[in-house]
Amino acid sequence: MDERWNERWSRRGKIAANMNRPSRTAAEGMISFVYGDPDPDSLPLEQMARAADVLAENNRRDALSYANPVGPDGLSLALANKLHEDYGLDVTAEQVLLSLGAASGLGLVVDMLVDPGDVVLADAPAWMGATGMFRLAGAEVVGVEVDDEGVNPDRVLEAIDRLAAEGKAPKFLYTIPTFQNPSGVELSLERREKLAEIAQDKGLLILEDDAYIDLRFSGEPKPTIFGIAEPGTVLLFGTLSKTIAAGMRLGWCAGPADIIAVLSRGRTDSLRNTYTAALAEWFITTGQHRDHIAELRNIYSTKCSQMLTALEREMPEGASWTSPNGGFFIWVTLPDGVDALDLQPIAQENLVDYIPGTSFYSDGSGRNALRLSFSAVTEEQIDTGIARLAKVIREAM
Amino acid sequence: MDERWNERWSRRGKIAANMNRPSRTAAEGMISFVYGDPDPDSLPLEQMARAADVLAENNRRDALSYANPVGPDGLSLALANKLHEDYGLDVTAEQVLLSLGAASGLGLVVDMLVDPGDVVLADAPAWMGATGMFRLAGAEVVGVEVDDEGVNPDRVLEAIDRLAAEGKAPKFLYTIPTFQNPSGVELSLERREKLAEIAQDKGLLILEDDAYIDLRFSGEPKPTIFGIAEPGTVLLFGTLSKTIAAGMRLGWCAGPADIIAVLSRGRTDSLRNTYTAALAEWFITTGQHRDHIAELRNIYSTKCSQMLTALEREMPEGASWTSPNGGFFIWVTLPDGVDALDLQPIAQENLVDYIPGTSFYSDGSGRNALRLSFSAVTEEQIDTGIARLAKVIREAM
């Protein structure tokens, strides 16, 4: 790089300059359990074309214009309505900040809350995209243990106390309570209630990311922390990337209207993705989104079962894994002495890939674990890929 | 606002909390010359519907998937090709960072370059969206005089020297050389060459925003500063908001491939707007974009002439204005003693609106000027609106 640039980068720029972001393109023949991409065969290309026709038929010029990210436009109303019908939440359109994917909303919120040197709490393991944003903003990330019932509120309290002893307070807790990325686990109701209580008592802001909430395989949804907690203690993030398409770049953040209004001013460029918002509005308000979600639940439930069966069949003694009731991911703990980071190049040589557990921790732990995504692979790829993976694990033992 | 939030906001959050962003919705009957929105009647709703059909027919699943913002995808290639054909630039797809509107790319670049307390140079008057971003990032904005030939390189050198005497160096110069927002003027070739020279000699990074470059009313395009300057001294920003639709949220930034790669890692959420990118790709590669631009040039040229004629007819002695050869804006200087900021509420009562000049300066100047946008109003509205505006100005004299 031209050396003049060394002095040009800001603090954030220097972090990015020293970062790697692997290419999303997999090698020929690779069975990749890496990305949490939606199932490609179920992407609603036809429906989006129909939606675009409807916009043209109705001369929906607003769909091609600039618009602010906070409604009360059609999509914000549709999302508020969905949150009410599906999750019993009372959210008005003015309480919904539309973002260019949920990550864009989270990135904005992080920049609006975090100054360099601040401490934030996050699931451990946590979605690497989120912790990456926290680090770009200059935050120190403190992980809070996630077990089979989700993030542990006792560990949250301990972290708060430990930080208080150092004169610090965490800016927020970031957690995915439902079909967590990367572990696939669901936070228990008791823990949701406990976290809501901690938020109120300790003044802890919770960033609740419910990207996978609609993709439940069975049973009734649990209440969101947002719904249980006092208003203003939780911001709720959601996305249409998993249930319509990631390429639409549509996500949202819900919170008190006055907070949402401030957040919308945090980036001059935080404008509404107007055209795709109008396509999604039609898809949701015509009821097709609901039907599509029902199909997706079947698709992902089947793929997940297939992967669990394959793991059961192929994996050596000593390996264990989570059994998700929704979402895209299974978290595998390897037999003693097998290192997921060391194993990855060997797995790749054998044409199977995953994300090593270390990517989801901020303290170097997770070497004995890995994340498998079942969402974007075929059932045949699942069987072949898990067999390949089990083989390299067995050879490493 | 819930008082717990007072301590939650970051430095940036506090700035946004104390900011206003006026609603984009105009009052009933208002003739608004405020926004630089594209002409609503020419928005290509039908063509985007056709494009969506083509994506469905061709099973373009990639158009609904996650993708990184840097190509070599279809749209990046199409844009690189367009830059070569129309402006003689040699840019590869890897040198193009696709962003969610040009503002999104600029916002990212600003965060990657500016730490709080840094100084940046900008056109004076300058596009308020850009200076707003600079301030959110914590920059001190130093304005550099724009006259009838654009930003003045001598003033740039003076500013650099003045800052050097204080031990400071500007992080960059932000300028719109072509049909500038807000003044409508075009930077002369001589000044472009001079700025390229300053960039090389003084190590000054130039952010060249060419949002309006395609909307030239007559004559041949001038070379971009990017094209004249040494590689790595200029980043070039462009947008499809003005020539396809703002609601597509598609913009781009071009620069050296290694710099573009770093920039793409500056936000975890800086992903490609895949679906609208694929729609735009079709529109460009089928030649329809070129035809559409030709139509738009006629439309905006006619509107601009209409507004210039109306100003000539209606405005009192002592008022003057620019005569743009492209873009969306005319800059009006008011007769002595008339204050555009004080006048605005009276103008609004008389159902005509504009942006006072002060919004485009960082030092409180510009009270004697205002920006008129002719892009989104009808010819009839131009005549009526300018008559209304001239009346309130005459009454204020």
Side-chain angles (χ1 to χ4, degrees):
Chain A
M1 191 179 301
D2 182 335
E3 62 183 20
R4 286 171 300 193
W5 280 84
N6 296 335
E7 293 179 18
R8 284 179 179 159
W9 299 121
S10 64
R11 182 198 52 73
R12 178 187 294 255
K14 289 192 179 85
I15 296 173
N18 291 309
M19 238 166 57
N20 277 313
R21 192 191 266 189
S23 163
R24 294 186 65 88
T25 315
E28 177 88 22
M30 182 73 74
I31 295 179
S32 172
F33 300 129
V34 170
Y35 286 109
D37 288 355
D39 174 57
D41 290 331
S42 61
L43 290 169
L45 266 171
E46 296 284 348
Q47 292 94 319
M48 291 305 109
R50 178 73 196 113
D53 287 339
V54 172
L55 295 183
E57 284 159 20
N58 294 326
N59 195 22
R60 280 282 304 271
R61 293 173 189 170
D62 63 300
L64 286 177
S65 302
Y66 287 108
N68 286 332
V70 181
D73 295 55
L75 183 57
S76 309
L77 288 165
L79 290 170
N81 199 33
K82 180 180 184 318
L83 287 173
H84 184 73
E85 286 180 8
D86 294 354
Y87 302 104
L89 300 177
D90 288 316
V91 171
T92 66
E94 289 79 3
Q95 290 176 269
V96 177
L97 175 74
L98 206 72
S99 54
L100 300 145
S104 165
L106 182 61
L108 168 64
V109 169
V110 168
D111 287 343
M112 292 290 277
L113 297 173
V114 172
D115 285 315
D118 282 345
V119 182
V120 306
L121 305 181
D123 291 342
W127 174 45
M128 63 212 293
T131 50
M133 287 185 222
F134 306 157
R135 278 191 211 98
L136 281 167
E140 181 195 338
V141 183
V142 172
V144 182
E145 186 194 25
V146 170
D147 61 27
D148 284 350
E149 290 180 42
V151 69
N152 189 331
D154 293 336
R155 298 291 101 75
V156 173
L157 282 173
E158 284 166 20
I160 291 174
D161 289 346
R162 203 167 55 242
L163 288 167
E166 299 170 30
K168 294 179 191 168
K171 270 299 173 94
F172 55 74
L173 164 69
Y174 171 80
T175 187
I176 302 184
T178 311
F179 320 130
Q180 201 243 6
N181 178 0
S183 72
V185 303
E186 188 177 15
L187 190 65
S188 66
L189 176 59
E190 192 190 341
R191 288 190 174 184
R192 288 167 193 251
E193 286 166 347
K194 181 77 184 173
L195 284 179
E197 201 181 296
I198 294 173
Q200 178 64 14
D201 293 351
K202 300 282 183 181
L204 176 71
L205 176 66
I206 297 178
L207 306 187
E208 177 176 14
D209 182 348
D210 266 332
Y212 304 95
I213 195 169
D214 287 334
L215 299 173
R216 167 179 295 278
F217 302 154
S218 66
E220 287 303 304
K222 292 189 172 29
T224 59
I225 312 171
F226 180 86
I228 300 169
E230 292 293 318
T233 59
V234 181
L235 296 177
L236 179 64
F237 294 83
T239 181
L240 297 173
S241 289
K242 313 302 176 184
T243 60
I244 302 183
M248 306 282 282
R249 306 311 306 129
L250 291 171
W252 50 266
C253 170
D258 55 354
I259 302 298
I260 291 299
V262 172
L263 290 172
S264 76
R265 299 195 294 263
R267 285 186 189 160
T268 306
D269 59 303
S270 63
L271 291 164
R272 177 173 287 252
N273 216 349
T274 330
Y275 193 67
T276 58
L279 299 176
E281 176 195 338
W282 176 83
F283 194 57
I284 296 172
T285 54
T286 54
Q288 294 178 80
H289 187 226
R290 187 172 298 279
D291 296 344
H292 190 61
I293 288 172
E295 277 174 49
L296 292 177
R297 285 177 175 169
N298 280 332
I299 289 169
Y300 295 124
S301 172
T302 303
K303 289 189 183 197
C304 183
S305 298
Q306 183 90 8
M307 188 173 272
L308 290 170
T309 306
L311 287 166
E312 198 64 58
R313 184 177 61 236
E314 305 284 353
M315 279 289 158
E317 188 85 11
S320 61
W321 48 88
T322 56
S323 289
N325 187 33
F328 284 1
F329 308 108
I330 292 172
W331 183 253
V332 177
T333 306
L334 297 174
D336 279 347
V338 186
D339 184 309
L341 205 57
D342 293 343
L343 199 68
Q344 194 179 27
I346 305 165
Q348 288 168 342
E349 273 170 39
N350 285 271
L351 295 176
V352 61
D353 206 1
Y354 56 82
I355 305 188
T358 43
S359 296
F360 303 97
Y361 287 91
S362 302
D363 60 0
S365 57
R367 292 190 79 115
N368 67 329
L370 54 87
R371 187 189 84 171
L372 298 176
S373 171
F374 52 78
S375 56
V377 280
T378 63
E379 291 175 43
E380 196 190 329
Q381 285 174 320
I382 289 172
D383 282 347
T384 312
I386 295 298
R388 288 179 187 169
L389 180 62
K391 177 172 162 279
V392 298
I393 292 172
R394 248 186 258 106
E395 286 172 4
M397 282 170 77
Chain B
M1 191 179 298
D2 182 335
E3 63 184 20
R4 286 172 299 193
W5 280 84
N6 296 334
E7 291 177 19
R8 284 179 179 158
W9 300 120
S10 65
R11 183 198 52 72
R12 178 186 292 255
K14 289 192 181 84
I15 296 172
N18 291 308
M19 237 167 56
N20 276 313
R21 192 190 268 189
S23 163
R24 294 185 65 87
T25 315
E28 176 89 21
M30 181 74 73
I31 295 179
S32 172
F33 300 130
V34 170
Y35 286 108
D37 289 356
D39 174 57
D41 290 333
S42 62
L43 290 169
L45 266 170
E46 296 284 349
Q47 293 93 319
M48 290 306 108
R50 178 72 196 115
D53 287 340
V54 171
L55 295 184
E57 284 160 18
N58 294 328
N59 195 21
R60 280 284 303 272
R61 292 176 190 167
D62 64 300
L64 287 178
S65 302
Y66 287 108
N68 286 331
V70 182
D73 296 53
L75 182 58
S76 309
L77 288 164
L79 289 171
N81 199 35
K82 180 182 185 315
L83 287 174
H84 184 72
E85 287 181 8
D86 294 353
Y87 303 104
L89 300 177
D90 288 317
V91 171
T92 66
E94 288 80 3
Q95 290 176 270
V96 177
L97 175 75
L98 205 71
S99 54
L100 300 145
S104 165
L106 181 61
L108 168 65
V109 169
V110 168
D111 288 343
M112 293 289 279
L113 297 173
V114 171
D115 285 314
D118 282 345
V119 182
V120 307
L121 305 181
D123 291 341
W127 173 44
M128 63 212 294
T131 50
M133 288 184 220
F134 306 157
R135 278 191 211 98
L136 281 168
E140 180 195 340
V141 183
V142 172
V144 183
E145 186 194 26
V146 171
D147 61 27
D148 284 350
E149 290 182 42
V151 70
N152 189 331
D154 293 337
R155 299 291 100 76
V156 172
L157 282 174
E158 285 166 20
I160 291 173
D161 289 346
R162 205 167 53 241
L163 288 167
E166 301 170 28
K168 295 178 189 169
K171 270 301 173 90
F172 54 74
L173 165 69
Y174 170 80
T175 188
I176 302 183
T178 311
F179 320 129
Q180 199 242 7
N181 178 0
S183 71
V185 304
E186 188 176 14
L187 190 66
S188 66
L189 175 59
E190 191 190 341
R191 288 190 174 183
R192 287 167 193 252
E193 286 166 346
K194 181 76 185 172
L195 284 178
E197 202 180 296
I198 295 173
Q200 179 63 14
D201 293 351
K202 301 283 182 178
L204 176 70
L205 176 65
I206 297 178
L207 306 187
E208 177 177 15
D209 182 347
D210 266 333
Y212 304 95
I213 196 169
D214 287 334
L215 298 174
R216 168 178 294 278
F217 302 154
S218 67
E220 286 304 303
K222 292 189 173 28
T224 59
I225 312 170
F226 180 87
I228 300 169
E230 292 294 316
T233 58
V234 181
L235 296 177
L236 178 64
F237 294 84
T239 182
L240 297 173
S241 290
K242 314 300 179 186
T243 60
I244 302 183
M248 306 282 283
R249 306 311 307 128
L250 291 171
W252 50 267
C253 169
D258 54 354
I259 303 298
I260 291 298
V262 173
L263 291 172
S264 76
R265 299 196 293 264
R267 285 185 189 161
T268 306
D269 59 304
S270 64
L271 292 162
R272 177 174 287 254
N273 216 350
T274 330
Y275 193 67
T276 58
L279 300 176
E281 176 195 340
W282 177 83
F283 194 57
I284 296 173
T285 55
T286 54
Q288 296 177 79
H289 187 226
R290 187 173 297 279
D291 296 343
H292 190 61
I293 288 172
E295 277 174 51
L296 292 177
R297 285 177 174 169
N298 280 331
I299 288 169
Y300 294 125
S301 172
T302 304
K303 289 189 184 198
C304 183
S305 299
Q306 183 90 8
M307 188 174 271
L308 290 170
T309 306
L311 287 166
E312 199 63 58
R313 185 176 61 234
E314 305 284 353
M315 279 287 158
E317 188 85 11
S320 62
W321 48 88
T322 56
S323 288
N325 188 32
F328 283 2
F329 308 109
I330 292 173
W331 182 254
V332 177
T333 305
L334 296 174
D336 280 347
V338 185
D339 183 309
L341 205 57
D342 292 344
L343 199 68
Q344 194 179 26
I346 304 165
Q348 287 169 341
E349 272 170 40
N350 285 271
L351 296 175
V352 62
D353 205 2
Y354 57 82
I355 304 187
T358 43
S359 296
F360 303 97
Y361 287 91
S362 302
D363 60 0
S365 57
R367 293 192 77 116
N368 67 329
L370 55 86
R371 186 190 84 172
L372 298 176
S373 170
F374 51 79
S375 56
V377 279
T378 63
E379 291 174 43
E380 197 191 328
Q381 285 175 321
I382 289 172
D383 282 346
T384 312
I386 296 298
R388 287 179 188 170
L389 180 62
K391 177 171 161 279
V392 299
I393 292 172
R394 251 187 256 106
E395 287 171 3
M397 280 169 81

